[in-house]
């Protein structure tokens, strides 16, 4: 650990100190005196020496002031500290010197901006080397936290939390490895983070729930259709019995009709005609079966490729839409960045108007103190505008890395669009080829009526029918009666067969309902699995919260940190609140307890980062017993003493 102690520190023309030396010899000390005696100036002086700021990191004007609160001119604030760093002495000196100059063509000497000089062991040092020296010791932010007991708790809670989280040493991987119940997460995570997996699972859960919610309506729709069909067709067993009955009756009616038409002499011709018609049917079935398979397979291929092409075109359109949105976004960002850069250069080029330095009433140049204030205000205002310009760029995500990420995403989308376009082109060519093959196959087959077999058989049928006609005379009335009877039975049989066919539709609907119920069960199983993984993530988060807080709190003696807040809906919100005996630092904790909490924080951070600095504790008189720490401790106490009193 790097240990830094104050051996002696000398204040000259610094605030209310004209010439004052604080000798500590590396020891702890109590500095006491009444309010306004200069106790806080001791802490401010040490901070100003290192950083040019006051105890709480604010800009500090070290110049002594007169009774009218005006700077005393001709005095150069100086702090010189003899430090002991890891047992080795080193002297650091900071001097703020006034700078006076004569304007061209004038005799009067005017004051310009003060300059700051730095010395290390008496050797003049440039500002960047001075800052680099402090950076090697730990950096301005860390050194401020370790030299002012109350500084850490003045930081924004998010910054405090960031520092503490770096101290925990707890990782997602270590939590999963050390908890057998969470091992499944290792497989589920893959290369993803916990947050990414949680987003994926939540999106999947929404999709599953959406599908589950839509299934009851689809099942009910099929159920209602079945009920409607059953109500319309009636009893199926009775229908099947009716089909058998009407089939038998039809056979009798057709036999009777044949006898009437042909008479006994025409029976032989009738049998011959029946045989020819049977042969014609067989030939037609043979013709259809030989060509049907080829056309059916080709038609199925055409249907499949058409569906693939439709999906590919839709996907291509979706990707192109995303590309358009992203290109517009990138264009807007670049245009906004261009405007910001122009605005930045415009602000940066601003200079204080020379006429502003003259009094608007008397037209003479303003006094030096007002002129310095005018210059300072102008520079602060310009700096604020430049910072605001930078923050706009950060807020609108127009930084280089953001635009690079957008460009990378655009490139990925364009590559996807190109690949999908190739898919569309390939499927289009494939579909055209299949359609040509199907048309060629249908053209090749022709129709059954064009075949030689059909023509030959139909010629024989015509000849037999003529023979039957010749053999049948004066029986037209009997034929008409027998035909009407057969037609009536055919109509009844057709009605029954149609209803029986509808029953087959019911069987298909029942199969569909069973499929939907199976899908419902499968989706609910998937939802249960997603719920279980989300529960594992919540359990992981709870363990992580506890582990991080425990890991950090073990490093502190008195302070306990509350870094997470479990809300009513189960969500875990980030926070950073210090507590002592259950009382929050900023809500009800007395001043003495706060000071000891501050010392505990400084002591722990010193151990964590391996650096200890002299710690100034203001209002130390409000604490019965200060928490002992490993750093050099300078207590600042309010007493009735008119001048500062130092006790080692």
């Amino acid at each position: 650990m790097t240990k830094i102690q104050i051996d002696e520190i000398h204040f000259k023309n610094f605030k209310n100190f004209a010439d004052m030396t604080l000798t500590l010899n590396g020891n702890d000390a109590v500095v006491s005196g009444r309010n306004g005696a200069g106790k806080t100036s001791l802490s401010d002086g040490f901070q100003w020496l290192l950083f040019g700021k006051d105890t709480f990191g604010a800009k500090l004007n070290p110049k002594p002031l007169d009774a009218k609160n005006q700077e005393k001119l001709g005095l150069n604030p100086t702090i010189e500290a003899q430090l002991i760093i890891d047992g080795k002495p080193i002297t650091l000196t900071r001097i703020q010197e006034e700078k006076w100059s004569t304007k061209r063509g004038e005799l009067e000497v005017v004051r310009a901006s003060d300059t700051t000089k730095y010395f290390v062991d008496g050797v003049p040092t440039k500002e960047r080397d001075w800052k680099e020296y402090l950076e090697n010791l730990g950096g301005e932010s860390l050194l401020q936290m370790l030299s002012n007991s109350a500084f850490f708790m003045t930081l924004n809670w998010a910054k405090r939390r960031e520092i503490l989280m770096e101290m925990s040493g707890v990782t997602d991987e270590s939590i999963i490895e050390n908890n057998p119940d969470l091992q499944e997460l290792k497989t589920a995570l893959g290369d993803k983070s916990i947050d990414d997996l949680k987003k994926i699972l939540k999106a999947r859960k929404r999709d599953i729930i959406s599908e589950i919610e839509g299934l009851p309506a689809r099942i009910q729709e099929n159920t209602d259709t079945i009920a409607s069909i059953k109500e319309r067709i009636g009893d199926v067993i009775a229908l099947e019995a009716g089909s058998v009955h009407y089939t038998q009756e039809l056979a009798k009616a057709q036999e009777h009709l044949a006898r009437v038409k042909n008479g006994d002499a025409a029976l032989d011709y009738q049998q011959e005609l029946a045989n020819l018609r049977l042969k014609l049917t067989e030939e037609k079935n043979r013709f259809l079966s030989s060509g049907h398979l080829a056309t059916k397979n080709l038609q199925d291929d055409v249907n499949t490729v058409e569906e693939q092409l439709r999906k590919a075109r839709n996907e291509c359109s979706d990707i192109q839409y995303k590309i358009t949105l992203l290109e517009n976004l990138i264009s807007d960002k670049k245009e906004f960045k261009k405007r910001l850069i122009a605005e930045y250069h415009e602000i940066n080029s601003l200079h204080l108007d020379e006429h502003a330095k003259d009094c608007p009433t008397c037209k003479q140049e303003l006094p030096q103190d007002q002129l310095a204030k005018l210059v300072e205000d102008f520079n602060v205002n310009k700096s604020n505008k430049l910072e605001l310009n930078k923050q706009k760029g950060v807020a609108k995500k127009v930084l280089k890395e953001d635009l690079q990420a957008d460009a990378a995403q655009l490139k990925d989308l364009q590559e996807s669009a190109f690949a999908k376009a190739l898919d569309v082109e390939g499927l289009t060519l494939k579909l055209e080829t299949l359609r040509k093959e199907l048309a060629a196959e249908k053209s090749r087959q022709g129709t059954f009526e064009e075949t030689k077999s059909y023509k030959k058989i139909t010629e024989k049928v015509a000849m037999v029918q003529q023979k039957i006609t010749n053999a049948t005379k004066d029986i037209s009335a009997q034929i008409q009666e027998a035909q009407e009877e057969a037609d009536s039975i055919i109509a009844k049989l057709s009605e029954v067969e149609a209803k029986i066919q509808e029953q087959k539709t019911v069987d298909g609907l029942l199969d569909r309902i069973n499929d939907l119920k199976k899908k419902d069960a499968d989706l609910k199983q998937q939802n249960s699995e997603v719920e279980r993984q989300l529960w594992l993530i919540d359990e992981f988060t709870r363990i992580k919260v506890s582990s991080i807080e425990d890991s950090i709190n073990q490093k502190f003696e008195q302070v306990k940190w509350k870094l997470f807040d479990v809300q009513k809906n189960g969500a875990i919100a980030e926070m950073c609140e210090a507590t002592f005996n259950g009382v929050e630092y900023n809500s009800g904790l007395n001043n003495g307890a706060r000071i000891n909490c501050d010392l505990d924080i400084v002591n722990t951070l010193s151990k964590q980062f391996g650096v200890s600095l002299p710690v100034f504790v203001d209002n130390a008189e409000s604490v019965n017993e200060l928490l002992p720490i490993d750093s050099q401790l300078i207590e600042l106490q309010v007493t009735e003493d008119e001048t500062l009193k130092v006790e080692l």
Side-chain angles (χ1 to χ4, degrees):
M1 173 181 286
T2 299
K3 191 173 184 65
I4 302 173
Q5 298 166 294
I6 296 175
D7 184 27
E8 184 175 277
I9 183 167
H10 181 68
F11 304 80
K12 184 176 182 181
N13 298 323
F14 180 81
K15 295 181 70 175
N16 56 334
F17 292 137
D19 194 349
M20 190 270 185
T21 300
L22 178 64
T23 303
L24 302 178
N25 298 324
N27 296 312
D28 294 348
V30 175
V31 181
S32 57
R34 65 184 304 164
N35 290 326
K39 299 183 299 300
T40 303
S41 294
L42 297 177
S43 176
D44 284 345
F46 186 63
Q47 296 291 324
W48 183 80
L49 168 68
L50 298 177
F51 318 114
K53 300 178 180 179
D54 67 8
T55 300
F56 293 99
K59 186 177 180 181
L60 174 66
N61 182 9
K63 297 282 288 187
L65 304 177
D66 59 20
K68 294 182 180 180
N69 206 35
Q70 300 294 322
E71 292 182 354
K72 295 180 180 180
L73 300 180
L75 302 178
N76 297 325
T78 302
I79 302 288
E80 183 173 273
Q82 297 175 21
L83 304 179
I84 303 171
I85 302 179
D86 291 336
K88 297 179 180 179
I90 188 169
T91 301
L92 301 181
T93 307
R94 185 188 193 108
I95 303 173
Q96 181 172 307
E97 291 185 349
E98 294 178 359
K99 185 176 181 181
W100 297 83
S101 61
T102 302
K103 290 185 178 180
R104 186 174 183 180
E106 297 182 8
L107 296 176
E108 184 180 358
V109 178
V110 295
R111 184 182 175 191
S113 299
D114 292 353
T115 60
T116 302
K117 293 184 177 180
Y118 307 89
F119 300 87
V120 177
D121 283 337
V123 179
T125 303
K126 294 182 179 179
E127 181 180 13
R128 66 172 180 271
D129 296 328
W130 179 271
K131 291 183 177 180
E132 183 179 352
Y133 179 79
L134 296 179
E135 192 66 32
N136 292 333
L137 292 177
E140 179 177 335
S141 179
L142 177 63
L143 297 180
Q144 282 181 315
M145 287 189 293
L146 301 183
S147 59
N148 175 17
S149 61
F151 187 83
F152 186 77
M153 289 306 295
T154 64
L155 296 174
N156 176 272
W157 72 269
K159 180 62 178 177
R160 296 199 304 267
R161 189 177 189 279
E162 178 185 345
I163 294 170
L164 293 172
M165 292 292 284
E166 292 177 358
M167 298 169 53
S168 71
V170 176
T171 64
D172 292 354
E173 292 77 11
S174 65
I175 292 173
I176 294 174
E177 288 294 337
N178 295 327
N179 289 273
D181 294 340
L182 301 179
Q183 293 304 302
E184 185 180 339
L185 280 179
K186 187 186 300 183
T187 303
L189 282 170
D191 296 330
K192 297 181 287 293
S193 67
I194 287 288
D195 289 340
D196 288 343
L197 178 60
K198 189 171 184 178
K199 292 176 183 177
I200 292 171
L201 291 174
K202 284 187 174 181
R204 186 178 173 193
K205 178 178 174 63
R206 285 194 299 270
D207 293 341
I208 292 173
I209 293 299
S210 177
E211 284 198 70
I212 291 175
E213 290 175 348
L215 288 177
R218 296 166 66 185
I219 293 173
Q220 188 60 47
E221 179 183 355
N222 286 280
T223 302
D224 292 343
T225 302
I226 290 173
S228 175
I229 292 174
K230 286 185 175 181
E231 182 180 358
R232 186 167 60 253
I233 67 176
D235 184 35
V236 176
I237 296 177
L239 288 174
E240 291 176 345
S243 175
V244 173
H245 170 72
Y246 288 127
T247 300
Q248 293 172 349
E249 290 298 312
L250 179 60
K252 294 177 182 179
Q254 288 175 336
E255 183 180 352
H256 173 66
L257 177 61
R259 285 197 303 269
V260 172
K261 285 183 176 181
N262 302 320
D264 293 338
L267 288 178
D268 292 339
Y269 295 134
Q270 191 66 36
Q271 183 62 44
E272 184 180 355
L273 180 61
N275 291 337
L276 287 172
R277 287 176 173 168
L278 177 62
K279 185 175 181 181
L280 186 64
T281 301
E282 290 174 350
E283 287 295 323
K284 184 175 184 178
N285 290 337
R286 188 178 298 111
F287 173 83
L288 293 176
S289 63
S290 64
H292 179 70
L293 182 60
T295 56
K296 182 179 183 302
N297 290 339
L298 283 172
Q299 186 62 56
D300 289 343
D301 291 344
V302 168
N303 294 341
T304 299
V305 175
E306 284 178 342
E307 178 62 20
Q308 292 174 346
L309 180 58
R310 183 187 64 79
K311 290 182 178 179
R313 284 172 174 168
N314 289 341
E315 291 173 0
C316 195
S317 296
D318 290 342
I319 295 173
Q320 194 59 49
Y321 177 69
K322 292 178 181 178
I323 289 174
T324 300
L325 291 181
L326 187 55
E327 286 176 340
N328 291 339
L329 177 62
I330 292 173
S331 177
D332 291 344
K333 283 188 176 183
K334 287 182 177 179
E335 182 62 28
F336 185 79
K337 183 178 180 181
K338 182 179 179 181
R339 292 199 302 270
L340 281 183
I341 292 173
E343 180 185 90
Y344 181 90
H345 290 309
E346 181 180 352
I347 296 170
N348 198 39
S349 65
L350 291 176
H351 297 286
L352 183 62
D353 187 359
E354 291 296 327
H355 296 294
K357 298 179 180 180
D358 297 334
C359 175
T361 302
C362 65
K363 306 302 181 180
Q364 295 184 0
E365 187 170 297
L366 294 171
Q368 290 304 314
D369 54 335
Q370 294 183 25
L371 186 58
K373 183 67 168 57
L374 180 65
V375 172
E376 179 182 357
D377 291 344
F378 173 84
N379 290 333
V380 169
N381 183 46
K382 179 178 178 181
S383 177
N384 290 339
K385 288 181 178 179
L386 290 174
E387 182 61 28
L388 178 59
N389 176 273
K390 293 178 182 178
Q391 292 303 319
K392 287 180 182 177
V394 174
K396 289 292 185 178
K397 294 186 177 180
V398 297
L399 300 180
K400 181 179 180 181
E401 55 269 22
D402 294 311
L403 290 173
Q404 288 176 342
D406 290 340
Q409 183 182 358
L410 178 60
K411 182 180 179 182
D412 291 342
L413 286 172
Q414 290 172 338
E415 290 176 353
S416 299
F418 180 75
K420 191 56 64 178
L422 291 178
D423 290 345
V424 170
E425 183 179 352
L427 289 171
T428 301
L429 292 174
K430 185 176 181 181
L431 181 59
E432 291 177 356
T433 301
L434 288 173
R435 283 175 174 171
K436 290 179 180 178
E437 290 179 1
L438 179 60
E441 182 62 29
K442 288 182 177 180
S443 175
R444 184 186 65 78
Q445 291 179 13
T447 63
F448 175 65
E449 285 72 17
E450 296 172 346
T451 62
K452 292 180 179 180
S453 176
Y454 172 82
K455 294 177 180 179
K456 184 177 181 179
I457 294 173
T458 52
E459 287 176 0
K460 290 182 179 180
V461 167
M463 292 173 61
V464 172
Q465 285 178 332
Q466 184 60 46
K467 291 179 181 179
I468 294 173
T469 300
N470 294 336
T472 313
K473 298 183 182 209
D474 301 326
I475 55 173
S476 57
Q478 294 92 330
I479 291 175
Q480 182 177 356
E481 183 180 351
Q483 185 65 56
E484 289 175 353
E485 181 183 3
D487 290 343
S488 174
I489 295 173
I490 289 173
K492 294 176 181 178
L493 179 61
S494 297
E495 183 179 354
V496 171
E497 290 293 341
K499 291 183 177 180
I500 291 175
Q501 191 63 37
E502 281 196 88
Q503 175 58 36
K504 294 181 180 179
T505 302
V506 171
D507 295 338
L509 292 173
L510 288 172
D511 290 340
R512 179 58 179 157
I513 289 173
N514 289 332
D515 290 342
L516 291 173
K517 289 181 177 179
K518 289 179 181 178
K519 185 175 183 180
D520 180 71
D522 181 59
L523 287 171
K524 288 176 178 176
Q525 178 62 35
Q526 292 180 37
N527 185 59
S528 176
E529 177 64 20
V530 171
E531 288 279 11
R532 190 173 62 81
Q533 290 190 0
L534 286 172
W535 179 87
L536 282 175
I537 290 177
D538 289 341
E539 183 66 14
F540 164 86
T541 304
R542 286 188 286 271
I543 294 173
K544 180 178 179 180
V545 166
S546 176
S547 299
I548 290 176
E549 287 188 345
D550 289 346
S551 172
I552 292 174
N553 286 330
Q554 286 174 5
K555 299 177 184 294
F556 292 83
E557 183 176 338
Q558 291 190 352
V559 178
K560 300 301 176 188
W561 295 95
K562 186 177 180 183
L563 301 173
F564 302 91
D565 181 32
V566 181
Q567 301 175 341
K568 291 182 179 180
N569 61 359
I572 296 178
E574 294 181 351
M575 61 179 302
C576 184
E577 185 60 57
T579 65
F580 174 69
N581 290 336
V583 181
E584 292 186 357
Y585 183 96
N586 292 313
S587 300
L589 197 63
N590 63 59
N591 191 49
R594 282 190 183 187
I595 290 175
N596 273 332
C597 285
D598 291 337
L599 290 176
D600 188 19
I601 293 170
V602 169
N603 202 38
T604 303
L605 292 177
S606 292
K607 294 176 182 178
Q608 178 69 26
F609 295 105
V611 182
S612 78
L613 276 84
V615 179
F616 289 82
V617 181
D618 211 352
N619 300 316
E621 74 282 349
S622 62
V623 188
N624 292 329
E625 184 177 356
L626 286 175
L627 181 73
I629 63 174
D630 296 334
S631 303
Q632 183 182 19
L633 189 63
I634 299 98
E635 302 177 35
L636 306 177
Q637 296 185 358
V638 177
T639 63
E640 294 300 324
D641 296 304
E642 293 291 337
T643 58
L644 292 180
K645 179 180 178 182
V646 181
E647 298 177 80
L648 301 183

